[in-house]
Amino acid sequence: MHQINNPVLRGFNPDPSILRVGDDYYIATSTFEWFPGIQIHHSKDLVNWSLAGHVLTRKSQLDMTGMDNSEGVYAPTLSYSDGKFWVCYANVHSCKGGTWMATPSFVVTAESIEGPWSEPMSIGNYGFDPSLFHDDDGKKYMLNMVWDGRSNTNFFGGIVLQEFDAEEEKLIGSVHNIFPGTHLGCTEGPQMLKRNGYYYLITAEGGTERNHAVTVCRSKNLLGPYEVHPKNPILTSRFQEDAELSRAGHGFLVETQNGEWYLSHLCSRRIQNPEGYQFIPKYDNGFSILGRETALQKAHWLDDWPYVTSGKTPLITVKAPELTPSLWPVEQEKDDFDDSQLNINFQTLREPLDESWGSLTERPGFLRLKGRQYLYSRYQNSLIARRFQSHYALIETKMEFAPTSPYQMAGLCAYYARNGHYFLKMTKDDMGQNVLQVVGNINDQYQEYGEPLSIKDTDTVYMRLSLEKQWYQFSYSLDGERWSNLGAALNSTPLSDEGGPDIFRFTGSFAALFACDITGQNAPADFDYFIYRELD
């Protein structure tokens, strides 16, 4: 049987917004503090997906200067109207202290999914997760959740709707609160479709953890009142602790060319804490070290209500639609940094790659990173990173680096957040020798994992990072053939959504190359290649 194997977008790819245009399917996902913003994946058959590009590629579209972990781009929505694509997003910040947060929201457009995408148009500041609904009379409406920071609320103030004038590039008319949410609470992620005379409002509820869910309501009138689905929620992992896909929620529906229906939704594949580690996750019993991912479930309609065909609990294996299978070229494991542009799978923190700190042309065949601030900084990080998309993976690189002080360092990193990472660094010790050492920051605590290892005046080192579900292990080689582990195996679960003290933690783990120079001299590190190999 031709089947969909979930998750279809593995690793950190949350809050999917699915869209079909002709014979092509697209999914937009959140990127938070990672640049460029908003990943777009493409499929012809709903089974095989390929990363097509990113929407927000310029700082004028996405300024995240100084933003903290899990701030930035929340839950984009993708739509198509008037011969072009539309993407809505919020650039969320100031959400770490107090009860109010800043949620400036925007829409950008492009005639092609590959871009270029326009400069942003403002669509308010009500909350995160904005979307546009294009009605069949030609009018457009902004939908958004309301973030209400007053102490007498649960912060989720319902779903608002307001008309958007695309020619004037502004919201017009009155604001209407059309849906207060259900008893599940945390009502967010509104998207709307129209079918058989009904307006269907689909929202995420329950919070993006074990109680997450997909809620559907409908009305014959755009402004409501909205009637809640008789079997609400239509999808959830709530009370299904044995479900292989947990945290299921934030969904939307898509119809194939042949009239079949599917529901996209986020999920995660949790792992348990290793025996002997007394580390209790927030919210539920398990750790999402890869972050929230994207899955698809088959759906159908009954009495003008959508249902997930297999029931409320998400499945790993789903019957594929009656579409011709369409494969994508196999991605190469090794990037030799021979191109002048960074590979599409790499992202940077908060800002675009710039020749002032990262170059693929200064030394052809190498990625040069010029050291800037330490990895704990919220500002200038000389780092490029690729998502882990498997619980079993191997990363390898070859680095040339000539530090002159202990305040210059470069190497290979397992990165979740500025207060959740491990790294293998080359640096200079106080005796003037080059050394290797594994260090990190877990929940704002700097830690060293073993003593520095002297490699004398050697300035070339091969580095590896392996992930085996529960454990990260760093290793090194001086000749690329004989490898030795450095430091003990490190618990992977603190590098997860549930692994920190902060409730605002929503991303995923990355393998990263980095360079730091606290002296301000921007000492360069040259990386010859990057290998990402999945082992399962």
Side-chain angles (χ1 to χ4, degrees):
M1 179 184 72
H2 190 44
Q3 65 186 30
I4 295 170
N5 295 310
N6 284 318
V8 292
L9 306 183
R10 301 184 303 156
F12 166 43
N13 277 293
D15 308 319
S17 175
I18 194 167
L19 171 71
R20 178 175 68 86
V21 178
D23 296 334
D24 296 288
Y25 297 84
Y26 304 102
I27 291 178
T29 53
S30 302
T31 44
F32 291 85
E33 72 264 35
W34 292 93
F35 202 98
I38 307 177
Q39 297 214 123
I40 299 287
H41 283 82
H42 180 201
S43 178
K44 291 280 191 179
D45 58 7
L46 293 181
V47 175
N48 301 287
W49 293 84
S50 176
L51 181 58
H54 298 83
V55 175
L56 308 175
T57 59
R58 306 184 299 277
K59 197 169 183 178
S60 60
Q61 298 168 316
L62 180 62
D63 188 346
M64 297 187 290
T65 303
M67 290 194 182
D68 211 338
N69 307 325
S70 296
E71 296 186 332
V73 178
Y74 283 34
T77 54
L78 179 62
S79 58
Y80 187 82
S81 180
D82 309 322
K84 56 187 175 182
F85 295 90
W86 304 70
V87 170
C88 299
Y89 65 98
N91 188 12
V92 179
H93 51 287
S94 304
C95 61
K96 299 298 180 179
T99 56
W100 294 94
M101 64 173 72
T103 59
S105 300
F106 307 95
V107 60
V108 292
T109 64
E111 294 183 0
S112 167
I113 198 70
E114 289 85 12
W117 293 82
S118 71
E119 289 300 297
M121 297 172 274
S122 174
I123 50 173
N125 299 269
Y126 292 102
F128 43 82
D129 302 2
S131 69
L132 272 187
F133 171 62
H134 310 270
D135 208 345
D136 48 21
D137 62 0
K139 291 185 177 182
K140 302 182 187 301
Y141 298 89
M142 176 276 299
L143 289 154
N144 208 348
M145 58 84 68
V146 174
W147 183 262
D148 189 337
R150 293 174 295 177
S151 60
N152 64 337
T153 74
N154 70 350
F155 306 135
F156 290 83
I159 303 301
V160 294
L161 177 145
Q162 186 176 5
E163 189 174 350
F164 177 71
D165 187 321
E167 290 188 4
E168 295 291 329
E169 299 185 358
K170 65 180 182 180
L171 297 171
I172 60 174
S174 301
V175 180
H176 304 271
N177 196 313
I178 62 172
F179 183 57
T182 74
H183 69 282
L184 295 176
C186 301
T187 308
E188 56 189 344
Q191 297 184 75
M192 186 174 284
L193 64 85
K194 193 173 185 181
R195 182 179 183 270
N196 291 350
Y198 282 105
Y199 294 94
Y200 291 89
L201 177 63
I202 303 174
T203 59
E205 292 198 295
T208 187
E209 34 87 17
R210 68 180 175 186
N211 293 325
H212 211 26
V214 177
T215 287
V216 176
C217 57
R218 73 182 185 187
S219 175
K220 290 281 190 177
N221 189 318
L222 178 65
L223 300 182
Y226 280 83
E227 171 191 9
V228 177
H229 195 294
K231 299 295 184 180
N232 190 66
I234 66 167
L235 183 78
T236 185
S237 303
R238 188 183 187 201
F239 306 133
Q240 303 292 326
E241 295 305 318
D242 294 331
E244 294 181 85
L245 299 177
S246 65
R247 305 171 68 185
H250 201 111
F252 197 59
L253 291 159
V254 68
E255 183 181 15
T256 73
Q257 307 92 301
N258 302 325
E260 299 177 88
W261 286 85
Y262 285 83
L263 177 78
S264 65
H265 65 94
L266 70 75
C267 63
S268 71
R269 294 175 287 166
R270 296 175 303 169
I271 66 172
Q272 301 305 308
N273 212 27
E275 186 176 351
Y277 277 79
Q278 301 302 312
F279 191 82
I280 301 173
K282 302 186 306 292
Y283 308 131
D284 56 37
N285 183 28
F287 296 84
S288 308
I289 67 168
L290 301 180
R292 297 170 301 156
E293 306 173 290
T294 289
L296 296 171
Q297 306 296 326
K298 191 167 179 55
H300 65 274
W301 293 83
L302 180 64
D303 297 328
D304 282 323
W305 286 111
Y307 290 82
V308 175
T309 302
S310 59
K312 292 178 183 283
T313 305
L315 300 181
I316 286 279
T317 302
V318 174
K319 183 181 178 183
E322 297 297 327
L323 298 173
T324 302
S326 182
L327 300 176
W328 299 100
V330 176
E331 289 187 357
Q332 298 298 309
E333 294 180 344
K334 187 177 184 182
D335 185 347
D336 284 306
F337 297 128
D338 290 333
D339 293 333
S340 61
Q341 299 294 318
L342 201 60
N343 183 284
I344 194 173
N345 289 296
F346 284 114
Q347 289 193 273
T348 54
L349 280 170
R350 304 177 188 88
E351 62 178 324
L353 185 70
D354 184 89
E355 286 288 324
S356 67
W357 63 267
S359 176
L360 288 159
T361 58
E362 279 194 18
R363 185 181 177 189
F366 288 79
L367 169 69
R368 172 163 288 176
L369 294 179
K370 299 175 184 179
R372 296 189 296 169
Q373 295 173 6
Y374 190 66
L375 292 182
Y376 191 72
S377 171
R378 292 185 287 115
Y379 291 89
Q380 296 180 338
N381 302 112
S382 296
L383 173 149
I384 69 157
R386 190 210 191 282
R387 286 161 176 74
F388 279 105
Q389 295 180 280
S390 167
H391 287 115
Y392 299 89
L394 177 71
I395 313 301
E396 181 180 314
T397 191
K398 177 186 177 184
M399 181 182 74
E400 297 179 19
F401 184 48
T404 60
S405 85
Y407 309 116
Q408 298 171 337
M409 63 197 77
L412 180 60
C413 182
Y415 189 97
Y416 178 93
R418 68 188 187 93
N419 61 347
H421 58 263
Y422 304 114
F423 60 91
L424 169 57
K425 66 176 179 178
M426 180 200 288
T427 188
K428 186 79 75 175
D429 68 10
D430 291 325
M431 303 301 293
Q433 296 186 105
N434 287 348
V435 295
L436 300 175
Q437 189 177 22
V438 177
V439 299
N441 187 300
I442 301 299
N443 299 331
D444 298 308
Q445 297 297 314
Y446 171 80
Q447 300 184 37
E448 297 181 349
Y449 303 97
E451 295 297 318
L453 173 71
S454 173
I455 55 174
K456 299 181 181 179
D457 59 353
T458 302
D459 61 7
T460 299
V461 64
Y462 297 80
M463 295 179 170
R464 278 181 179 171
L465 169 62
S466 65
L467 172 61
E468 294 186 5
K469 199 170 187 178
Q470 306 282 7
W471 306 105
Y472 291 111
Q473 178 67 64
F474 288 101
S475 57
Y476 77 98
S477 172
L478 300 181
D479 60 9
E481 296 181 1
R482 293 167 294 179
W483 291 85
S484 299
N485 289 344
L486 191 62
L490 302 170
N491 184 9
S492 67
T493 59
L495 275 59
S496 68
D497 290 0
E498 302 83 2
D502 189 352
I503 63 171
F504 292 100
R505 195 161 162 138
F506 309 124
T507 57
S509 56
F510 287 73
L513 305 177
F514 75 94
C516 304
D517 188 350
I518 313 306
T519 71
Q521 298 178 63
N522 304 121
D526 290 337
F527 297 90
D528 189 19
Y529 62 84
F530 182 95
I531 293 174
Y532 172 81
R533 179 179 299 138
E534 296 185 356
L535 303 177
D536 61 349

